[in-house]
Amino acid sequence: MPSMKNKRFNLLLIAVVTLVAAWSLWPTWRDYSLSNQLNSIKSAPDSLKYLLSNRDEIENARKKSLKLGLDLKGGMHLVMEVDQVDLFEQKAWNKDAKFTAIMKAVREKASQSDAKVIDLISAEFKGENMRLSRYFYDIRNSDQEIVAKLEKESEDALNRAKEIIRNRIDQYGVAEPVITTQGSRKLIIELPGVSDENRVRNLLKGTAKLEFRLLRDPEILVRTLDRINTYLVQNSGVPKTSLVAGNSVAVSGKLKSLTPSVSMQTSAKPLYDLIGVFQNGSAYTTEHSKELVVSLLHRSDILALLPQDTELLLAAKPEIGKSGEKLYPIYLVRKSPELTGGVITEAKATFGSQGVQPEVLMAMNSEGTAKWARITGANIGKRIAIVLDGAVYSAPVVQSKIPSGNSVINGIESLEEAKDLEIVLKAGALPAPVRIIEERSVGPSLGADYIRAGVLSLAWAFCAVSIFMLVYYKKAGIAADIALVLNIVIVLSVLAGFNASLSLPGIAGIVLTIGMAVDANVLIYERIREELDGGKALKSAIELGYDRAFSSILDSHVTTLSAAFLLYTYGIGPIQGFALTLMIGTAASLFTSIVVTKEIFSFLLGRNLMTQKSFG
């Protein structure tokens, strides 16, 4: 009776597994069928009609179907790094030249290794015989307490960056992105089906740090530029290598000074060789001088010449001069923002009142609305710069108090750029800058080649193994081949059911699984042959063969599962894809080789369809 109960349980288990696998793979089959039907329709009106009439079914099937990985579908693979040195610099207080030197050394070491930034900071402070509390948190905190707090900040920053980037990608519309963390400061991002790589690249790496800053008066800007110019004259300008390529472009007759470019060491007005000033006090630089101006304005000796709590920033987008040249306005703004992007609750890309220029409308929460009303009311007639990631998008004049909490970002070239800006503002600002340190792209045509190669290798492996089992083990080989088919179906159904992606290394894992599944059957069949050679009856030989081979099969499968689990835990990208399919396939082969084939033999024995020659 117990054996009868076991038999019923095994049959029920096989039926349930088969039905669940078929149910899980059904959307994949429907997606394939619907896509073929759509591609077979030649005329555009008929295609549109078919899409509209089957829209829900197509979307549902595509959502639940087996997903293809980046290497098979095409797309982008990115490795991004969160700038934790910048993060910790933001957390510090009472900064001085010593702190700047320490963080510079930390940044250099961090760029050359994958060590934790907090460990590098701690080591530098110990080397200088300084306590961390001099710059971080409370003076009463011990180094251990501060390290623990900074490690928590580091972990939170990485997780927050991951979620913000995921939100940006989701709003952009990438299907099934894969975003994982690696170490203490890296993010691995896979975006299947992406075609506009530049747009995605800009969308991901922008910090989206939005600030509203007051502009200083034009007179103060001019005096500041004069002070910098005098300093450059007295200190021989910039190094000899910093020469301006070409001549500066005359903006108009209203320019205070914009002479042809010469070496900044010999010019009487080295700064004004790069920067032009209108009579109204606004300053500009040309497109070809922009990089040199930016590097000059970020020099520590130049920053020391600026008025307290001020900063020189360039416009995000150029203005077009009378001669068609691109000119970047330069603004002197307060370093301390009046308001930040944390109060933004809604952002919407649209066109301006004239319906030509794209812009982004923003709405604020109650706290931001109250502050915005106070700020605009107290600064009527003054200009407020809207600064995003250190660049000024616009600097409108406050005409009146704004009690509604609404504001506008303009100076945007295209609606696509406005939509990207809307996405990053909605997703929120990154806790620290991120940079792309590795990037790979796979084109759709190359992905299609990989699919053909992968399917071909899988088909050849299956055919070779199946034919071998049939030739060598005769009728028993049929049971092994049936179990092999079910094994592959189970692997694919689990991937589809859990929305995992099938990658090229995943196909390699399935091919390896085919060999492992057959290996288990070979162990069982050879044991059965030994029992038959020893004079056992066929039924007894099958029972003993399974019993005596079980321990060896279990040991080999547990060992493989353990190795695959470690690969999945510590590997990244392709290695994880290989390990995942190997784990699923190994578990499935244990089920198919022990349970499925045994029940097939039981069925054949009950109908006298097997003899001793059935095992070759």
Side-chain angles (χ1 to χ4, degrees), residues 250-327:
V251 178
S252 71
K254 296 181 180 180
L255 282 177
K256 176 180 177 181
S257 174
L258 193 57
T259 58
S261 172
V262 293
S263 168
M264 292 183 69
Q265 287 187 306
T266 59
S267 173
K269 295 182 178 181
L271 181 65
Y272 294 117
D273 290 336
L274 304 174
I275 294 175
V277 181
F278 283 122
Q279 289 180 350
N280 63 4
S282 58
Y284 291 83
T285 187
T286 57
E287 184 178 28
H288 74 268
S289 300
K290 178 188 173 186
E291 294 300 325
L292 184 56
V293 169
V294 170
S295 63
L296 179 67
L297 297 181
H298 281 83
R299 277 172 35 177
S300 58
D301 55 341
I302 300 299
L303 292 174
L305 300 173
L306 302 183
Q308 188 176 4
D309 191 33
T310 61
E311 187 176 10
L312 284 167
L313 298 178
L314 269 67
K317 302 295 177 183
E319 296 179 0
I320 305 301
K322 291 184 177 180
S323 303
E325 67 276 13
K326 293 182 178 179
L327 306 172

Side-chain angles (χ1 to χ4, degrees), residues 452-464:
R452 283 191 292 271
V455 171
L456 192 61
S457 65
L458 187 62
W460 275 111
F462 178 79
C463 290

Side-chain angles (χ1 to χ4, degrees), residues 331-407:
Y331 301 94
L332 183 66
V333 300
R334 289 189 182 275
K335 188 175 290 186
S336 303
E338 303 298 314
L339 203 61
T340 65
V343 300
I344 301 298
T345 58
E346 183 60 37
K348 183 174 179 59
T350 183
F351 286 99
S353 57
Q354 297 180 352
V356 177
Q357 188 68 30
E359 61 185 24
V360 177
L361 303 178
M362 297 178 293
M364 302 178 184
N365 58 22
S366 56
E367 178 188 358
T369 299
K371 287 183 177 180
W372 189 235
R374 177 181 56 79
I375 293 165
T376 53
N379 294 281
I380 294 175
K382 296 182 180 180
R383 298 176 72 186
I384 295 181
I386 299 177
V387 182
L388 182 67
D389 291 341
V392 178
Y393 268 78
S394 59
V397 177
V398 179
Q399 303 291 345
S400 61
K401 180 179 179 179
I402 304 175
S404 61
N406 294 328
S407 56

Side-chain angles (χ1 to χ4, degrees), residues 6-20:
N6 288 339
K7 180 180 177 67
R8 288 176 179 173
F9 175 77
N10 288 344
L11 290 174
L12 180 63
L13 183 61
I14 293 170
V16 169
V17 169
T18 304
L19 289 173
V20 170

Side-chain angles (χ1 to χ4, degrees), residues 475 482 516:
K475 192 176 290 185
I482 293 173
M516 289 194 58

Side-chain angles (χ1 to χ4, degrees), residues 9 29 65 99 147 158 292 309 318 339 413 493 507 579 581 602:
F9 175 77
W29 171 253
S65 65
F99 176 80
V147 166
L158 186 65
L292 184 56
D309 191 33
L339 203 61
E413 292 183 352
S493 66
I507 294 176
T581 53
S602 178

Side-chain angles (χ1 to χ4, degrees), residues 474-538:
K474 304 297 188 290
K475 192 176 290 185
I478 297 175
D481 292 345
I482 293 173
L484 200 57
V485 172
L486 184 58
N487 195 330
I488 296 172
V489 169
I490 290 172
V491 173
L492 296 178
S493 66
V494 171
L495 291 175
F498 287 93
N499 279 325
S501 299
L502 177 64
S503 60
L504 195 61
I507 294 176
I510 295 176
V511 173
L512 181 58
T513 298
I514 291 174
M516 289 194 58
V518 170
D519 181 59
N521 289 121
V522 169
L523 283 173
I524 294 170
Y525 292 177
E526 290 302 318
R527 284 289 188 179
I528 293 173
R529 276 182 166 185
E530 289 176 5
E531 298 301 329
L532 290 173
D533 292 341
K536 295 289 193 302
L538 181 58

